[in-house]
Amino acid sequence: MEPKSSKEMLLNPHFSFRSFFNRQKGISAATSYTLDIPAEAADRWKDFKKWLDVHGASYKKVACPATFTLFPEIVYTGMIAIEDIGYNERIVTIPSSIVINIKIAFYSELNPIFKASPKLFSDRLNPRYWEENIMITFILYEKHKGAKSFWHPYINILPEHCDCLLNWEDEEIEEVQDKILVADAEAQFTEMANCWEEWYNCLKNYPQYFTEDTISFAQYKWCYMLIYTRLFGKLYGDNRWSLWRVCDGAFGRFC
């Protein structure tokens, strides 16, 4: 019988996290994968790995990126174990100096904007979205800087598309035949659009930092979805951008 809670999963001596993860993702032994990096992405991944090495990151017994093809239209990029991994063995180590967090973003050169707009960027006046607003603003600003940004090697390998509800077409949502899901999708999109409009009306006043394209709805939506698939620590008052979640939320198979 499948465990009904996280606690039951951990206490069940027959439970396999690997099997559970693969089942949730639709991955099986028959799932094809390759360690070949697409030609158009090879230089970007090379630069990213060099950046990790220079700043003291380490990863062993795994290969990344690995591309998993579940179906022709469903492809995950992640990592795969290339050696047996022992119990409680550390696989990936990322120094805190190259992990983006709220403190780094808030005290960046964008700090005057954050201080001047507490309605958007203050935990007191905007307790629900202040962290997301800061992170989105910082990431898009650093992306706009291109190769001049310290974070460029990482930002440059982030996926252009995230497979989440906000990216579904109306026809795809309707095929689920779930009125609650449809209503939830509409509510999420409306909420995101309203957040963007308020955010845009603030940042358009800072042309010395942002172009119209940088703060467009398309760019905001891209970063909004990345934020919600890569941030952790919100409940502990320290939102961090998980540096190793470079692969659209899927880590591939572990041994």
Side-chain angles (χ1 to χ4, degrees), residues 1 11 13 58 102 107 157 177 235-236 241 249:
M1 180 179 295
L11 294 177
S58 65
I102 286 295
Y107 289 105
I157 54 92
Q177 298 182 4
L235 296 179
Y236 302 95
W241 184 285

Side-chain angles (χ1 to χ4, degrees), residues 32 56 60 91 101 126-127 135 140 155 169 186 218-219 243 251:
S32 63
K60 59 182 181 178
I91 307 169
N101 58 34
N126 189 5
M135 294 296 281
L140 290 181
I155 294 174
E169 299 292 339
E186 292 175 348
Q219 289 293 309
L243 189 64
F251 281 77

Side-chain angles (χ1 to χ4, degrees), residues 12-244:
N12 184 349
H14 303 294
F15 175 74
S16 166
F17 182 80
R18 172 190 174 189
S19 298
F20 176 76
F21 176 86
N22 289 345
R23 185 163 59 254
Q24 295 300 311
K25 290 293 184 181
I27 297 173
S28 69
T31 301
S32 63
Y33 71 90
T34 178
L35 298 180
D36 295 331
I37 304 175
E40 66 276 9
D43 287 343
R44 290 185 281 124
W45 277 97
K46 181 180 178 180
D47 290 344
F48 175 60
K49 289 183 175 181
K50 180 179 179 180
W51 183 74
L52 288 176
D53 293 340
V54 167
H55 294 288
S58 65
Y59 46 96
K60 59 182 181 178
K61 297 188 177 182
V62 293
C64 182
T67 303
F68 300 84
T69 303
L70 276 62
F71 303 100
E73 69 279 9
I74 301 180
V75 178
Y76 284 118
T77 302
M79 65 171 65
I80 188 169
I82 53 178
E83 298 180 38
D84 289 340
I85 297 172
Y87 173 74
N88 211 27
E89 182 176 0
R90 184 173 297 172
I91 307 169
V92 178
T93 302
I94 304 293
S96 59
S97 60
I98 57 172
V99 176
I100 303 173
N101 58 34
I102 286 295
K103 184 176 181 179
I104 287 175
F106 185 79
Y107 289 105
S108 68
E109 54 201 292
L110 299 177
N111 184 255
I113 298 177
F114 299 144
K115 286 186 174 181
S117 308
K119 186 178 178 182
L120 282 174
F121 304 112
S122 163
D123 60 342
R124 182 173 60 86
L125 297 181
N126 189 5
R128 185 171 183 182
Y129 290 117
W130 72 281
E131 292 177 303
E132 286 85 345
N133 285 340
I134 289 174
M135 294 296 281
I136 289 174
T137 305
F138 179 77
I139 293 297
L140 290 181
Y141 176 65
E142 293 297 322
K143 182 184 179 186
H144 171 67
K145 287 165 66 175
K148 295 180 180 180
S149 170
F150 171 77
W151 310 99
H152 175 70
Y154 172 56
I155 294 174
N156 208 28
I157 54 92
L158 289 172
E160 296 180 1
H161 177 84
C162 291
D163 182 19
C164 65
L165 194 60
L166 289 171
N167 266 335
W168 287 22
E169 299 292 339
D170 291 342
E171 295 78 10
E172 294 175 315
I173 296 176
E174 292 291 346
E175 285 180 6
V176 179
Q177 298 182 4
D178 186 328
K179 293 182 179 180
I180 296 177
L181 180 64
V182 173
D184 187 47
E186 292 175 348
Q188 282 190 41
F189 188 87
T190 299
E191 186 173 25
M192 180 184 66
N194 290 337
C195 288
W196 168 77
E197 185 175 9
E198 186 178 13
W199 176 84
Y200 169 81
N201 286 332
C202 169
L203 296 185
K204 70 180 182 180
N205 298 311
Y206 298 93
Q208 68 272 39
Y209 293 100
F210 303 99
T211 65
E212 282 291 319
D213 179 66
T214 304
I215 56 176
S216 66
F217 181 70
Q219 289 293 309
Y220 180 89
K221 181 183 176 185
W222 170 79
C223 199
Y224 182 96
M225 289 185 290
L226 287 175
I227 286 286
Y228 280 99
T229 57
R230 281 156 178 79
L231 281 184
F232 68 95
K234 184 176 178 63
L235 296 179
Y236 302 95
D238 183 16
N239 238 337
R240 306 177 188 90
W241 184 285
S242 182
L243 189 64
W244 199 251

